[in-house]
Amino acid sequence: MTNILLILVLQLVYVPLLTLRTIFLVKNLTMFAAVFGILEMLIYVFGLSLVFNGDQSLLAMVVYAVGFGLGMFLGTKIENKLAIGYVYVTINTQNKNQELIDTLRINGFAITTFVGEGRDSNRYKYEILAKRNREKELFDLVESIEPKAFIISYEPKSFKGGFLVDRMRKIAKMK
């Protein structure tokens, strides 16, 4: 029974590491990905050896699979809490909303505005690059001021220049 519990615990550690390693690779954080990969493989080999050691019980195999599924859930929750990276948010409204623009800027969001031609009238587009851990805050602010706004959020892979990058460099120099 000890082996069964150990298999479950190992999966609950191994799979979140796998999830985070994959995300670090996608975000080009290769040093973190390499370290997590080493830990992940050590745990993987040890856990798999427990499953196939001795009597190869069906229960051990089922617990291994269930642990994998629970580990995926846990890894996703951890990654969402870390919210590594940035989001590029586009907001579209029917009317120019100066209150929305001012509120977002007061709350530290860099915003660029555009006027575009819609099917029936002009549309107003706002573009924002923000840290991913502030995405919900941004959505909540927009929703509270402009409930009918159309909002799209993307995760940019890379970017260069601009207001946010300049601000990040200044903050890094002050540290």
Side-chain angles (χ1 to χ4, degrees), residues 85-88 108-112 128-132 134 156 159-172:
Y86 293 86
V87 288
Y88 180 76
F109 293 102
I111 178 172
T112 304
I128 301 162
L129 180 68
K131 287 191 170 192
R132 211 174 120 224
R134 296 192 69 198
F159 50 87
K160 180 183 176 205
F163 174 77
L164 187 61
V165 173
D166 290 341
R167 187 175 354 159
M168 287 187 301
R169 278 193 197 116
K170 288 176 187 172
I171 290 170

Side-chain angles (χ1 to χ4, degrees), residues 8-70:
L8 181 63
V9 169
L10 287 172
Q11 285 296 82
L12 291 176
V13 173
Y14 160 70
V15 181
L17 286 174
L18 171 111
T19 305
L20 293 171
R21 178 188 52 84
T22 304
I23 290 164
F24 288 149
L25 279 173
V26 169
K27 296 186 183 294
N28 205 23
L29 299 169
T30 53
M31 188 59 81
F32 287 118
V35 170
F36 276 52
I38 292 167
L39 295 172
E40 176 191 332
M41 281 302 105
L42 287 170
I43 295 168
Y44 173 76
V45 170
F46 184 65
L48 206 55
S49 71
L50 288 174
V51 172
F52 291 119
N53 188 17
D55 59 2
Q56 298 180 2
S57 77
L58 180 61
L59 179 60
M61 292 179 207
V62 169
V63 167
Y64 189 84
V66 169
F68 190 90
L70 291 173

Side-chain angles (χ1 to χ4, degrees), residues 112-155:
T112 304
T113 62
F114 301 91
V115 179
E117 292 182 29
R119 186 185 71 187
D120 299 323
S121 65
N122 284 343
R123 296 289 189 247
Y124 297 86
K125 179 178 175 181
Y126 314 98
E127 293 182 351
I128 301 162
L129 180 68
K131 287 191 170 192
R132 211 174 120 224
N133 62 2
R134 296 192 69 198
E135 182 178 26
K136 182 176 177 358
E137 174 190 356
L138 174 60
F139 272 59
D140 290 345
L141 278 170
V142 173
E143 182 77 24
S144 70
I145 297 168
E146 188 73 61
K148 291 184 178 182
F150 178 69
I151 308 170
I152 304 172
S153 175
Y154 307 92
E155 282 194 56

